Amino acid sequence: MAPIPPRTLIAIPAWNEQESIHEVVDKVRNHQPGVDVLVVNDGSTDATAEHALDAGAIVVSLPFNVGVGGAMRTAFLYAKRHRYRALVQVDADGQHDPADLSDLITGLQDADIVVGTRFHENSMYFVGGPRKWAMVLLSKTLSKMNRGRISDPTSGFRSAGPRAIDLFSTNYPAEYLGDTVGSLSIAIRHGLTIHETPVTMYYRAIGRPSKNALWSALYLGRATLALIATVFAKSNAGKGDEA
Amino acid sequence: MTTNLIAVVASLAIFVFVFDLLRRGVLKEKYAVLWLIVAGVGFIFSIVPGALDWIGVRLGIGAPVNLLFFVMGVVLVLVSVQLSYELSRHEARIRRLAEEVALIRQNLQSSSKSAPLDQSADESEAHRGDE
């Protein structure tokens, strides 16, 4: 008889992260010994997959790079097919603190999705300029849709419960910002509840803020377009149900 | 009359070329039909030069040639949009297949120790082909 699979999956989308992936997997396993760690190797050309396997992770390798959205949908498909009850997304570059994992997992008792927010009293995380305007715009719009505060909708440190796993395994946007903002919008429109919890952000990985004004303006533009597309998006899941 | 002759030859050449592609199975019908219509309409206007003037006058367009350019522009834009649509659809489908390939490969590698697959999960995804 097959063993009953553990109920929580830590999903780490990784694209050419051979320097950090082993350490990230180790840290996650140290903090949450009972959980399975899934590394979605998103078409890496380096030794990301080998390093992740060495660290004891389950590795799913995409044949080519599809972006974070596609990698996460793969993770949700895996979670659904293997009947996981919770999935936590963690970045492969080590910017997320595994100490926050327990908050994200326990938060699922009252919500379908828990987003780790980098904006709170003790946070070291600051943004400015057009990037900040974009984030404020995204946050205000989604908070209004959600009827509850989502202060950091672009955070990639978040958890999903069974209803969210069900939804995202068939309906997860792969467009720019779709994996973060778009997925939250879809969740809201499907009646899922979204909470947030403060998380720590390590500076090493975010020490590359876009100084370039043009790049920032581009970010604002793309974020706005992504938001508009998100708000007016037609649900794919609904289409599937009708078929 | 020489310009007419060129137009007749050109539209016939397009017609024969597209039909040959279709015949050899290189081009699918849904794309071929559009180009065959374009060639056909071009052929009609080139053997009946008065037709263009007649329509131009009805629509109140001074120079009938402008009508031709306008219609050609619209047709080309529509074809481009259709190609972008098909391309987007293919990208989505290829990405879907890539995800599936990755999961199947993982499942093969760990088939001895992995949990049984949830078959009901697969059925609900089958509808996603037309994303």
Side-chain angles (χ1 to χ4, degrees):
Chain A
M1 204 178 115
I4 298 161
R7 297 161 77 85
T8 300
L9 182 70
I10 309 292
I12 308 175
W15 180 37
N16 292 341
E17 300 280 7
Q18 62 176 6
E19 312 300 331
S20 59
I21 192 70
H22 198 295
E23 196 189 337
V24 170
V25 173
D26 275 348
K27 278 188 177 169
V28 166
R29 282 157 65 91
N30 284 339
H31 275 88
Q32 299 289 330
V35 303
D36 287 348
V37 180
L38 172 74
V39 171
V40 183
N41 170 30
D42 189 7
S44 298
T45 50
D46 65 2
T48 298
E50 289 80 356
H51 287 238
L53 277 172
D54 281 349
I58 305 159
V59 177
V60 166
S61 286
L62 289 156
F64 46 82
N65 185 264
V66 297
V68 181
M72 280 316 296
R73 189 166 67 187
T74 312
F76 281 113
L77 273 172
Y78 184 92
K80 177 161 188 192
R81 291 180 186 177
H82 294 269
R83 297 196 182 90
Y84 285 95
R85 304 286 293 167
L87 182 151
V88 190
Q89 177 185 351
V90 180
D91 272 8
D93 58 9
Q95 63 179 327
H96 297 148
D97 188 349
D100 295 318
L101 281 172
S102 55
D103 280 350
L104 285 166
I105 295 167
T106 52
L108 289 176
Q109 285 165 4
D110 316 307
D112 295 307
I113 294 167
V114 181
V115 182
T117 174
R118 298 163 287 186
F119 302 106
H120 51 89
E121 288 166 31
N122 304 321
S123 180
M124 300 277 281
Y125 183 70
F126 293 105
V127 286
R131 200 182 181 87
K132 181 173 185 171
W133 308 335
M135 284 190 164
V136 168
L137 177 74
L138 295 171
S139 164
K140 289 222 158 130
T141 311
L142 281 167
S143 298
K144 194 160 187 174
M145 285 170 70
N146 187 41
R147 296 199 194 90
R149 204 167 139 75
I150 303 176
S151 52
D152 192 4
T154 60
S155 169
F157 198 15
R158 49 172 70 183
S159 61
R163 289 177 69 199
I165 290 173
D166 257 17
L167 174 64
F168 289 152
S169 63
T170 56
N171 197 340
Y172 204 79
E175 307 83 53
Y176 182 70
L177 284 178
D179 59 299
T180 52
V181 179
S183 61
L184 290 180
S185 161
I186 287 170
I188 293 166
R189 279 186 286 119
H190 281 81
L192 303 196
T193 49
I194 302 171
H195 289 176
E196 63 177 20
T197 182
V199 294
T200 310
M201 191 77 162
Y202 287 130
Y203 248 98
R204 187 184 66 81
I206 55 168
R208 43 168 170 76
S210 47
K211 296 273 190 280
N212 191 321
L214 187 75
W215 206 96
S216 295
L218 211 65
Y219 179 88
L220 179 61
R222 288 187 75 177
T224 311
L225 189 65
L227 182 68
I228 292 169
T230 286
V231 171
F232 290 99
K234 223 178 100 192
S235 162
N236 283 328
K239 202 162 111 185
D241 292 341
E242 286 156 23
Chain B
M1 271 318 276
T2 44
T3 44
N4 264 342
L5 198 63
I6 291 170
V8 169
V9 171
S11 51
L12 276 179
I14 293 171
F15 198 91
V16 170
F17 179 59
V18 172
F19 188 77
D20 186 53
L21 287 178
L22 180 65
R23 192 179 56 86
R24 285 188 288 144
V26 182
L27 203 61
K28 288 187 76 175
E29 300 92 282
K30 61 175 172 176
Y31 303 107
V33 163
L34 196 70
W35 292 119
L36 290 178
I37 290 171
V38 168
V41 171
F43 181 72
I44 290 168
F45 279 121
S46 52
I47 56 167
V48 192
L52 197 62
D53 295 277
W54 189 81
I55 296 171
V57 169
R58 302 289 125 137
L59 292 175
I61 296 169
V65 181
N66 284 343
L67 177 66
L68 189 67
F69 284 136
F70 173 73
V71 171
M72 286 317 272
V74 169
V75 167
L76 291 180
V77 166
L78 285 179
V79 170
S80 304
V81 169
Q82 192 215 1
L83 291 179
S84 302
Y85 164 80
E86 297 287 347
L87 189 64
S88 305
R89 210 168 57 137
H90 284 130
E91 266 178 36
R93 286 181 170 183
I94 290 168
R95 201 169 49 226
R96 235 349 245 117
L97 285 175
E99 293 166 17
E100 213 57 57
V101 166
L103 289 171
I104 289 168
R105 193 160 57 177
Q106 194 279 330
N107 196 247
L108 278 177
Q109 278 162 1
S110 64
S111 52
S112 54
K113 57 191 171 186
S114 85
L117 286 179
D118 188 351
Q119 293 300 330
S120 63
D122 289 300
E123 282 162 24
S124 59
E125 288 142 21
H127 297 300
R128 287 187 48 78
D130 281 327
E131 180 196 32

